[in-house]
Amino acid sequence: MKIKKTNLDGCFIVENKILRDSRGFFTEIYHKEKFDEIIGFPVNFVQDNFSFSTKGVLRGLHFQKKFPQGKLVRVLKGKVFDVVVDIRKNSETFGSHFCLELNDKNHLQLWIPKGFAHGFLTLSDTAYFEYKCTDYYYKEDEDTINCKDPDLDIPWPSNINTIISQKDEDAKSFKNFINSLK
């Protein structure tokens, strides 16, 4: 297990060693002691989530206000364009984003610390997306920033017709999110 830094402080790409042979492959997805060591502090995951999406489904940008979640995300089947936005108001990278393709071929994972909004676009016909969370999901605490807000300038792939929930379509702008922090 090794990490690669992203342009966002505390957000890392996690690369696991893949052992391949004629039967297929094996990889260790998560090892608490190794993970805590490479991240630099103890992480306690309390909930695992799984989502299934079809091509063009765009989810996000989601976060929790009072109970922020750190997440370790990966794709089990298919491929997604994954995006995180730093919404930590005192962060040097506040408002910046990081994008990465996660798929069942590269086996990459992304560590998203607390204080980030997260979303993804399904690029393949279907995608199985899994994430470990450091806090529980609280529907009443969830909030959303509009994923297509021009102020964020996220380079979503434009060759795919997107399918967005009404909640995500009606999400607040990044400017409105900033104003809510005051």
PDB file of all heavy atoms in Angstrom, residues 121-153:
ATOM      1  N   LEU A 121     -19.197  10.835 -11.689  1.00  0.00           N
ATOM      2  CA  LEU A 121     -19.957  10.604 -12.909  1.00  0.00           C
ATOM      3  C   LEU A 121     -19.620   9.211 -13.417  1.00  0.00           C
ATOM      4  O   LEU A 121     -18.436   8.885 -13.591  1.00  0.00           O
ATOM      5  CB  LEU A 121     -19.585  11.645 -13.970  1.00  0.00           C
ATOM      6  CG  LEU A 121     -20.119  11.425 -15.388  1.00  0.00           C
ATOM      7  CD1 LEU A 121     -21.642  11.501 -15.421  1.00  0.00           C
ATOM      8  CD2 LEU A 121     -19.510  12.448 -16.348  1.00  0.00           C
ATOM      9  N   THR A 122     -20.637   8.395 -13.673  1.00  0.00           N
ATOM     10  CA  THR A 122     -20.420   7.044 -14.182  1.00  0.00           C
ATOM     11  C   THR A 122     -20.098   7.096 -15.669  1.00  0.00           C
ATOM     12  O   THR A 122     -20.880   7.601 -16.470  1.00  0.00           O
ATOM     13  CB  THR A 122     -21.656   6.159 -13.928  1.00  0.00           C
ATOM     14  OG1 THR A 122     -21.964   6.192 -12.536  1.00  0.00           O
ATOM     15  CG2 THR A 122     -21.402   4.729 -14.361  1.00  0.00           C
ATOM     16  N   LEU A 123     -18.924   6.560 -16.032  1.00  0.00           N
ATOM     17  CA  LEU A 123     -18.444   6.571 -17.413  1.00  0.00           C
ATOM     18  C   LEU A 123     -18.754   5.273 -18.154  1.00  0.00           C
ATOM     19  O   LEU A 123     -18.841   5.271 -19.379  1.00  0.00           O
ATOM     20  CB  LEU A 123     -16.931   6.814 -17.437  1.00  0.00           C
ATOM     21  CG  LEU A 123     -16.437   8.097 -16.770  1.00  0.00           C
ATOM     22  CD1 LEU A 123     -14.921   8.129 -16.742  1.00  0.00           C
ATOM     23  CD2 LEU A 123     -17.002   9.318 -17.469  1.00  0.00           C
ATOM     24  N   SER A 124     -18.889   4.184 -17.434  1.00  0.00           N
ATOM     25  CA  SER A 124     -19.141   2.870 -18.039  1.00  0.00           C
ATOM     26  C   SER A 124     -20.647   2.583 -18.039  1.00  0.00           C
ATOM     27  O   SER A 124     -21.426   3.332 -17.445  1.00  0.00           O
ATOM     28  CB  SER A 124     -18.383   1.792 -17.261  1.00  0.00           C
ATOM     29  OG  SER A 124     -18.679   1.876 -15.876  1.00  0.00           O
ATOM     30  N   ASP A 125     -21.055   1.499 -18.682  1.00  0.00           N
ATOM     31  CA  ASP A 125     -22.480   1.153 -18.721  1.00  0.00           C
ATOM     32  C   ASP A 125     -23.071   1.034 -17.324  1.00  0.00           C
ATOM     33  O   ASP A 125     -24.206   1.443 -17.088  1.00  0.00           O
ATOM     34  CB  ASP A 125     -22.696  -0.153 -19.499  1.00  0.00           C
ATOM     35  CG  ASP A 125     -22.465   0.035 -20.994  1.00  0.00           C
ATOM     36  OD1 ASP A 125     -22.517   1.193 -21.477  1.00  0.00           O
ATOM     37  OD2 ASP A 125     -22.218  -0.970 -21.676  1.00  0.00           O
ATOM     38  N   THR A 126     -22.305   0.454 -16.409  1.00  0.00           N
ATOM     39  CA  THR A 126     -22.693   0.378 -14.997  1.00  0.00           C
ATOM     40  C   THR A 126     -21.441   0.541 -14.152  1.00  0.00           C
ATOM     41  O   THR A 126     -20.323   0.322 -14.630  1.00  0.00           O
ATOM     42  CB  THR A 126     -23.362  -0.975 -14.638  1.00  0.00           C
ATOM     43  OG1 THR A 126     -22.438  -2.038 -14.896  1.00  0.00           O
ATOM     44  CG2 THR A 126     -24.640  -1.196 -15.421  1.00  0.00           C
ATOM     45  N   ALA A 127     -21.640   0.908 -12.894  1.00  0.00           N
ATOM     46  CA  ALA A 127     -20.513   1.018 -11.960  1.00  0.00           C
ATOM     47  C   ALA A 127     -20.964   0.609 -10.565  1.00  0.00           C
ATOM     48  O   ALA A 127     -22.045   0.993 -10.115  1.00  0.00           O
ATOM     49  CB  ALA A 127     -19.943   2.426 -11.940  1.00  0.00           C
ATOM     50  N   TYR A 128     -20.122  -0.182  -9.928  1.00  0.00           N
ATOM     51  CA  TYR A 128     -20.293  -0.537  -8.525  1.00  0.00           C
ATOM     52  C   TYR A 128     -19.274   0.289  -7.759  1.00  0.00           C
ATOM     53  O   TYR A 128     -18.071   0.143  -7.964  1.00  0.00           O
ATOM     54  CB  TYR A 128     -20.013  -2.017  -8.287  1.00  0.00           C
ATOM     55  CG  TYR A 128     -20.964  -2.990  -8.934  1.00  0.00           C
ATOM     56  CD1 TYR A 128     -20.716  -4.350  -8.844  1.00  0.00           C
ATOM     57  CD2 TYR A 128     -22.097  -2.591  -9.626  1.00  0.00           C
ATOM     58  CE1 TYR A 128     -21.567  -5.285  -9.422  1.00  0.00           C
ATOM     59  CE2 TYR A 128     -22.954  -3.516 -10.208  1.00  0.00           C
ATOM     60  CZ  TYR A 128     -22.679  -4.860 -10.101  1.00  0.00           C
ATOM     61  OH  TYR A 128     -23.522  -5.771 -10.676  1.00  0.00           O
ATOM     62  N   PHE A 129     -19.759   1.160  -6.879  1.00  0.00           N
ATOM     63  CA  PHE A 129     -18.928   2.123  -6.163  1.00  0.00           C
ATOM     64  C   PHE A 129     -19.033   1.832  -4.668  1.00  0.00           C
ATOM     65  O   PHE A 129     -20.143   1.701  -4.144  1.00  0.00           O
ATOM     66  CB  PHE A 129     -19.445   3.536  -6.476  1.00  0.00           C
ATOM     67  CG  PHE A 129     -18.533   4.635  -6.057  1.00  0.00           C
ATOM     68  CD1 PHE A 129     -17.529   5.071  -6.889  1.00  0.00           C
ATOM     69  CD2 PHE A 129     -18.689   5.254  -4.830  1.00  0.00           C
ATOM     70  CE1 PHE A 129     -16.685   6.112  -6.517  1.00  0.00           C
ATOM     71  CE2 PHE A 129     -17.861   6.287  -4.444  1.00  0.00           C
ATOM     72  CZ  PHE A 129     -16.848   6.718  -5.290  1.00  0.00           C
ATOM     73  N   GLU A 130     -17.898   1.739  -4.008  1.00  0.00           N
ATOM     74  CA  GLU A 130     -17.880   1.396  -2.583  1.00  0.00           C
ATOM     75  C   GLU A 130     -17.083   2.436  -1.815  1.00  0.00           C
ATOM     76  O   GLU A 130     -16.061   2.918  -2.300  1.00  0.00           O
ATOM     77  CB  GLU A 130     -17.236   0.015  -2.408  1.00  0.00           C
ATOM     78  CG  GLU A 130     -17.180  -0.458  -0.979  1.00  0.00           C
ATOM     79  CD  GLU A 130     -16.526  -1.823  -0.878  1.00  0.00           C
ATOM     80  OE1 GLU A 130     -15.307  -1.917  -1.135  1.00  0.00           O
ATOM     81  OE2 GLU A 130     -17.243  -2.773  -0.541  1.00  0.00           O
ATOM     82  N   TYR A 131     -17.561   2.776  -0.620  1.00  0.00           N
ATOM     83  CA  TYR A 131     -16.803   3.703   0.203  1.00  0.00           C
ATOM     84  C   TYR A 131     -16.974   3.411   1.687  1.00  0.00           C
ATOM     85  O   TYR A 131     -18.050   3.091   2.160  1.00  0.00           O
ATOM     86  CB  TYR A 131     -17.109   5.158  -0.134  1.00  0.00           C
ATOM     87  CG  TYR A 131     -18.556   5.551  -0.286  1.00  0.00           C
ATOM     88  CD1 TYR A 131     -19.186   6.350   0.652  1.00  0.00           C
ATOM     89  CD2 TYR A 131     -19.281   5.155  -1.406  1.00  0.00           C
ATOM     90  CE1 TYR A 131     -20.496   6.750   0.486  1.00  0.00           C
ATOM     91  CE2 TYR A 131     -20.598   5.545  -1.582  1.00  0.00           C
ATOM     92  CZ  TYR A 131     -21.195   6.347  -0.622  1.00  0.00           C
ATOM     93  OH  TYR A 131     -22.504   6.730  -0.784  1.00  0.00           O
ATOM     94  N   LYS A 132     -15.833   3.536   2.375  1.00  0.00           N
ATOM     95  CA  LYS A 132     -15.773   3.398   3.820  1.00  0.00           C
ATOM     96  C   LYS A 132     -15.870   4.802   4.400  1.00  0.00           C
ATOM     97  O   LYS A 132     -15.248   5.724   3.881  1.00  0.00           O
ATOM     98  CB  LYS A 132     -14.459   2.750   4.263  1.00  0.00           C
ATOM     99  CG  LYS A 132     -14.221   1.376   3.673  1.00  0.00           C
ATOM    100  CD  LYS A 132     -12.855   0.823   4.027  1.00  0.00           C
ATOM    101  CE  LYS A 132     -12.848   0.002   5.280  1.00  0.00           C
ATOM    102  NZ  LYS A 132     -13.875  -1.007   5.429  1.00  0.00           N
ATOM    103  N   CYS A 133     -16.630   4.988   5.481  1.00  0.00           N
ATOM    104  CA  CYS A 133     -16.846   6.321   6.050  1.00  0.00           C
ATOM    105  C   CYS A 133     -16.441   6.371   7.517  1.00  0.00           C
ATOM    106  O   CYS A 133     -16.626   5.402   8.248  1.00  0.00           O
ATOM    107  CB  CYS A 133     -18.322   6.706   5.950  1.00  0.00           C
ATOM    108  SG  CYS A 133     -18.932   6.745   4.266  1.00  0.00           S
ATOM    109  N   THR A 134     -15.941   7.542   7.930  1.00  0.00           N
ATOM    110  CA  THR A 134     -15.504   7.730   9.317  1.00  0.00           C
ATOM    111  C   THR A 134     -16.627   8.209  10.222  1.00  0.00           C
ATOM    112  O   THR A 134     -16.428   8.315  11.435  1.00  0.00           O
ATOM    113  CB  THR A 134     -14.344   8.733   9.399  1.00  0.00           C
ATOM    114  OG1 THR A 134     -14.789  10.000   8.882  1.00  0.00           O
ATOM    115  CG2 THR A 134     -13.135   8.240   8.627  1.00  0.00           C
ATOM    116  N   ASP A 135     -17.780   8.527   9.675  1.00  0.00           N
ATOM    117  CA  ASP A 135     -18.943   8.878  10.483  1.00  0.00           C
ATOM    118  C   ASP A 135     -20.172   8.315   9.786  1.00  0.00           C
ATOM    119  O   ASP A 135     -20.128   7.983   8.602  1.00  0.00           O
ATOM    120  CB  ASP A 135     -19.082  10.393  10.671  1.00  0.00           C
ATOM    121  CG  ASP A 135     -19.812  10.755  11.970  1.00  0.00           C
ATOM    122  OD1 ASP A 135     -20.623   9.931  12.459  1.00  0.00           O
ATOM    123  OD2 ASP A 135     -19.578  11.850  12.504  1.00  0.00           O
ATOM    124  N   TYR A 136     -21.250   8.238  10.529  1.00  0.00           N
ATOM    125  CA  TYR A 136     -22.482   7.691   9.991  1.00  0.00           C
ATOM    126  C   TYR A 136     -23.161   8.691   9.066  1.00  0.00           C
ATOM    127  O   TYR A 136     -22.924   9.895   9.145  1.00  0.00           O
ATOM    128  CB  TYR A 136     -23.436   7.307  11.128  1.00  0.00           C
ATOM    129  CG  TYR A 136     -22.852   6.250  12.023  1.00  0.00           C
ATOM    130  CD1 TYR A 136     -22.353   6.579  13.277  1.00  0.00           C
ATOM    131  CD2 TYR A 136     -22.765   4.932  11.596  1.00  0.00           C
ATOM    132  CE1 TYR A 136     -21.794   5.605  14.096  1.00  0.00           C
ATOM    133  CE2 TYR A 136     -22.210   3.954  12.404  1.00  0.00           C
ATOM    134  CZ  TYR A 136     -21.722   4.300  13.655  1.00  0.00           C
ATOM    135  OH  TYR A 136     -21.162   3.357  14.441  1.00  0.00           O
ATOM    136  N   TYR A 137     -24.007   8.188   8.179  1.00  0.00           N
ATOM    137  CA  TYR A 137     -24.791   9.034   7.295  1.00  0.00           C
ATOM    138  C   TYR A 137     -25.991   9.561   8.069  1.00  0.00           C
ATOM    139  O   TYR A 137     -26.723   8.798   8.698  1.00  0.00           O
ATOM    140  CB  TYR A 137     -25.260   8.242   6.070  1.00  0.00           C
ATOM    141  CG  TYR A 137     -26.267   8.995   5.238  1.00  0.00           C
ATOM    142  CD1 TYR A 137     -25.874  10.102   4.479  1.00  0.00           C
ATOM    143  CD2 TYR A 137     -27.607   8.627   5.222  1.00  0.00           C
ATOM    144  CE1 TYR A 137     -26.793  10.798   3.716  1.00  0.00           C
ATOM    145  CE2 TYR A 137     -28.531   9.317   4.461  1.00  0.00           C
ATOM    146  CZ  TYR A 137     -28.119  10.401   3.720  1.00  0.00           C
ATOM    147  OH  TYR A 137     -29.030  11.092   2.981  1.00  0.00           O
ATOM    148  N   TYR A 138     -26.173  10.878   8.033  1.00  0.00           N
ATOM    149  CA  TYR A 138     -27.317  11.534   8.641  1.00  0.00           C
ATOM    150  C   TYR A 138     -28.017  12.342   7.559  1.00  0.00           C
ATOM    151  O   TYR A 138     -27.506  13.396   7.147  1.00  0.00           O
ATOM    152  CB  TYR A 138     -26.880  12.460   9.783  1.00  0.00           C
ATOM    153  CG  TYR A 138     -26.208  11.741  10.920  1.00  0.00           C
ATOM    154  CD1 TYR A 138     -24.819  11.725  11.032  1.00  0.00           C
ATOM    155  CD2 TYR A 138     -26.965  11.076  11.879  1.00  0.00           C
ATOM    156  CE1 TYR A 138     -24.203  11.064  12.083  1.00  0.00           C
ATOM    157  CE2 TYR A 138     -26.356  10.409  12.931  1.00  0.00           C
ATOM    158  CZ  TYR A 138     -24.971  10.413  13.026  1.00  0.00           C
ATOM    159  OH  TYR A 138     -24.359   9.760  14.056  1.00  0.00           O
ATOM    160  N   LYS A 139     -29.153  11.871   7.113  1.00  0.00           N
ATOM    161  CA  LYS A 139     -29.891  12.528   6.026  1.00  0.00           C
ATOM    162  C   LYS A 139     -30.130  14.001   6.324  1.00  0.00           C
ATOM    163  O   LYS A 139     -29.959  14.856   5.453  1.00  0.00           O
ATOM    164  CB  LYS A 139     -31.212  11.797   5.776  1.00  0.00           C
ATOM    165  CG  LYS A 139     -32.007  12.367   4.609  1.00  0.00           C
ATOM    166  CD  LYS A 139     -33.252  11.553   4.343  1.00  0.00           C
ATOM    167  CE  LYS A 139     -34.114  12.091   3.254  1.00  0.00           C
ATOM    168  NZ  LYS A 139     -33.509  12.302   1.982  1.00  0.00           N
ATOM    169  N   GLU A 140     -30.505  14.317   7.564  1.00  0.00           N
ATOM    170  CA  GLU A 140     -30.815  15.699   7.925  1.00  0.00           C
ATOM    171  C   GLU A 140     -29.571  16.599   7.961  1.00  0.00           C
ATOM    172  O   GLU A 140     -29.685  17.825   7.969  1.00  0.00           O
ATOM    173  CB  GLU A 140     -31.544  15.759   9.278  1.00  0.00           C
ATOM    174  CG  GLU A 140     -30.715  15.290  10.468  1.00  0.00           C
ATOM    175  CD  GLU A 140     -30.601  13.772  10.640  1.00  0.00           C
ATOM    176  OE1 GLU A 140     -31.246  13.018   9.887  1.00  0.00           O
ATOM    177  OE2 GLU A 140     -29.846  13.349  11.533  1.00  0.00           O
ATOM    178  N   ASP A 141     -28.390  16.013   7.939  1.00  0.00           N
ATOM    179  CA  ASP A 141     -27.142  16.778   7.977  1.00  0.00           C
ATOM    180  C   ASP A 141     -26.506  16.919   6.590  1.00  0.00           C
ATOM    181  O   ASP A 141     -25.573  17.692   6.405  1.00  0.00           O
ATOM    182  CB  ASP A 141     -26.155  16.097   8.941  1.00  0.00           C
ATOM    183  CG  ASP A 141     -24.956  16.960   9.258  1.00  0.00           C
ATOM    184  OD1 ASP A 141     -25.124  18.175   9.472  1.00  0.00           O
ATOM    185  OD2 ASP A 141     -23.837  16.421   9.278  1.00  0.00           O
ATOM    186  N   GLU A 142     -27.017  16.186   5.609  1.00  0.00           N
ATOM    187  CA  GLU A 142     -26.421  16.214   4.270  1.00  0.00           C
ATOM    188  C   GLU A 142     -26.714  17.550   3.580  1.00  0.00           C
ATOM    189  O   GLU A 142     -27.775  18.143   3.749  1.00  0.00           O
ATOM    190  CB  GLU A 142     -26.970  15.076   3.416  1.00  0.00           C
ATOM    191  CG  GLU A 142     -26.325  15.023   2.042  1.00  0.00           C
ATOM    192  CD  GLU A 142     -26.843  13.891   1.180  1.00  0.00           C
ATOM    193  OE1 GLU A 142     -28.069  13.708   1.109  1.00  0.00           O
ATOM    194  OE2 GLU A 142     -26.003  13.215   0.570  1.00  0.00           O
ATOM    195  N   ASP A 143     -25.738  17.998   2.819  1.00  0.00           N
ATOM    196  CA  ASP A 143     -25.913  19.191   2.006  1.00  0.00           C
ATOM    197  C   ASP A 143     -25.262  18.935   0.653  1.00  0.00           C
ATOM    198  O   ASP A 143     -24.513  17.965   0.490  1.00  0.00           O
ATOM    199  CB  ASP A 143     -25.286  20.406   2.685  1.00  0.00           C
ATOM    200  CG  ASP A 143     -25.962  21.711   2.276  1.00  0.00           C
ATOM    201  OD1 ASP A 143     -26.731  21.720   1.293  1.00  0.00           O
ATOM    202  OD2 ASP A 143     -25.710  22.735   2.935  1.00  0.00           O
ATOM    203  N   THR A 144     -25.549  19.797  -0.307  1.00  0.00           N
ATOM    204  CA  THR A 144     -25.079  19.594  -1.674  1.00  0.00           C
ATOM    205  C   THR A 144     -24.696  20.921  -2.296  1.00  0.00           C
ATOM    206  O   THR A 144     -25.393  21.916  -2.120  1.00  0.00           O
ATOM    207  CB  THR A 144     -26.190  18.931  -2.520  1.00  0.00           C
ATOM    208  OG1 THR A 144     -26.652  17.753  -1.860  1.00  0.00           O
ATOM    209  CG2 THR A 144     -25.696  18.555  -3.892  1.00  0.00           C
ATOM    210  N   ILE A 145     -23.583  20.914  -3.010  1.00  0.00           N
ATOM    211  CA  ILE A 145     -23.163  22.053  -3.820  1.00  0.00           C
ATOM    212  C   ILE A 145     -23.380  21.638  -5.268  1.00  0.00           C
ATOM    213  O   ILE A 145     -23.084  20.505  -5.653  1.00  0.00           O
ATOM    214  CB  ILE A 145     -21.680  22.388  -3.573  1.00  0.00           C
ATOM    215  CG1 ILE A 145     -21.465  22.837  -2.122  1.00  0.00           C
ATOM    216  CG2 ILE A 145     -21.193  23.469  -4.547  1.00  0.00           C
ATOM    217  CD1 ILE A 145     -20.013  22.964  -1.719  1.00  0.00           C
ATOM    218  N   ASN A 146     -23.873  22.562  -6.068  1.00  0.00           N
ATOM    219  CA  ASN A 146     -24.166  22.248  -7.463  1.00  0.00           C
ATOM    220  C   ASN A 146     -22.901  21.795  -8.188  1.00  0.00           C
ATOM    221  O   ASN A 146     -21.924  22.538  -8.279  1.00  0.00           O
ATOM    222  CB  ASN A 146     -24.790  23.454  -8.166  1.00  0.00           C
ATOM    223  CG  ASN A 146     -25.333  23.096  -9.518  1.00  0.00           C
ATOM    224  OD1 ASN A 146     -24.601  22.676 -10.400  1.00  0.00           O
ATOM    225  ND2 ASN A 146     -26.635  23.247  -9.672  1.00  0.00           N
ATOM    226  N   CYS A 147     -22.937  20.595  -8.702  1.00  0.00           N
ATOM    227  CA  CYS A 147     -21.766  19.985  -9.335  1.00  0.00           C
ATOM    228  C   CYS A 147     -21.366  20.670 -10.637  1.00  0.00           C
ATOM    229  O   CYS A 147     -20.227  20.535 -11.081  1.00  0.00           O
ATOM    230  CB  CYS A 147     -22.009  18.496  -9.570  1.00  0.00           C
ATOM    231  SG  CYS A 147     -23.461  18.149 -10.576  1.00  0.00           S
ATOM    232  N   LYS A 148     -22.285  21.409 -11.229  1.00  0.00           N
ATOM    233  CA  LYS A 148     -21.976  22.083 -12.500  1.00  0.00           C
ATOM    234  C   LYS A 148     -21.778  23.589 -12.324  1.00  0.00           C
ATOM    235  O   LYS A 148     -21.811  24.343 -13.293  1.00  0.00           O
ATOM    236  CB  LYS A 148     -23.065  21.784 -13.523  1.00  0.00           C
ATOM    237  CG  LYS A 148     -23.087  20.297 -13.885  1.00  0.00           C
ATOM    238  CD  LYS A 148     -23.872  20.032 -15.115  1.00  0.00           C
ATOM    239  CE  LYS A 148     -23.748  18.565 -15.495  1.00  0.00           C
ATOM    240  NZ  LYS A 148     -24.455  18.248 -16.719  1.00  0.00           N
ATOM    241  N   ASP A 149     -21.540  24.011 -11.097  1.00  0.00           N
ATOM    242  CA  ASP A 149     -21.312  25.426 -10.823  1.00  0.00           C
ATOM    243  C   ASP A 149     -20.088  25.914 -11.587  1.00  0.00           C
ATOM    244  O   ASP A 149     -18.991  25.366 -11.421  1.00  0.00           O
ATOM    245  CB  ASP A 149     -21.124  25.628  -9.322  1.00  0.00           C
ATOM    246  CG  ASP A 149     -21.066  27.088  -8.929  1.00  0.00           C
ATOM    247  OD1 ASP A 149     -20.363  27.870  -9.615  1.00  0.00           O
ATOM    248  OD2 ASP A 149     -21.704  27.456  -7.932  1.00  0.00           O
ATOM    249  N   PRO A 150     -20.234  26.933 -12.431  1.00  0.00           N
ATOM    250  CA  PRO A 150     -19.093  27.411 -13.215  1.00  0.00           C
ATOM    251  C   PRO A 150     -17.949  27.967 -12.360  1.00  0.00           C
ATOM    252  O   PRO A 150     -16.798  27.958 -12.790  1.00  0.00           O
ATOM    253  CB  PRO A 150     -19.691  28.500 -14.117  1.00  0.00           C
ATOM    254  CG  PRO A 150     -21.044  28.787 -13.584  1.00  0.00           C
ATOM    255  CD  PRO A 150     -21.473  27.634 -12.736  1.00  0.00           C
ATOM    256  N   ASP A 151     -18.238  28.440 -11.147  1.00  0.00           N
ATOM    257  CA  ASP A 151     -17.180  28.953 -10.272  1.00  0.00           C
ATOM    258  C   ASP A 151     -16.217  27.850  -9.839  1.00  0.00           C
ATOM    259  O   ASP A 151     -15.059  28.126  -9.516  1.00  0.00           O
ATOM    260  CB  ASP A 151     -17.767  29.633  -9.031  1.00  0.00           C
ATOM    261  CG  ASP A 151     -18.431  30.964  -9.364  1.00  0.00           C
ATOM    262  OD1 ASP A 151     -18.046  31.584 -10.385  1.00  0.00           O
ATOM    263  OD2 ASP A 151     -19.327  31.381  -8.609  1.00  0.00           O
ATOM    264  N   LEU A 152     -16.687  26.602  -9.812  1.00  0.00           N
ATOM    265  CA  LEU A 152     -15.804  25.483  -9.445  1.00  0.00           C
ATOM    266  C   LEU A 152     -14.969  25.029 -10.630  1.00  0.00           C
ATOM    267  O   LEU A 152     -13.910  24.439 -10.443  1.00  0.00           O
ATOM    268  CB  LEU A 152     -16.630  24.319  -8.885  1.00  0.00           C
ATOM    269  CG  LEU A 152     -17.304  24.589  -7.542  1.00  0.00           C
ATOM    270  CD1 LEU A 152     -18.210  23.418  -7.160  1.00  0.00           C
ATOM    271  CD2 LEU A 152     -16.283  24.862  -6.460  1.00  0.00           C
ATOM    272  N   ASP A 153     -15.463  25.242 -11.832  1.00  0.00           N
ATOM    273  CA  ASP A 153     -14.729  24.917 -13.061  1.00  0.00           C
ATOM    274  C   ASP A 153     -14.258  23.456 -13.104  1.00  0.00           C
ATOM    275  O   ASP A 153     -13.121  23.157 -13.461  1.00  0.00           O
ATOM    276  CB  ASP A 153     -13.533  25.868 -13.222  1.00  0.00           C
ATOM    277  CG  ASP A 153     -12.986  25.866 -14.636  1.00  0.00           C
ATOM    278  OD1 ASP A 153     -13.759  25.610 -15.586  1.00  0.00           O
ATOM    279  OD2 ASP A 153     -11.772  26.096 -14.787  1.00  0.00           O
TER     280      ASP A 153
END
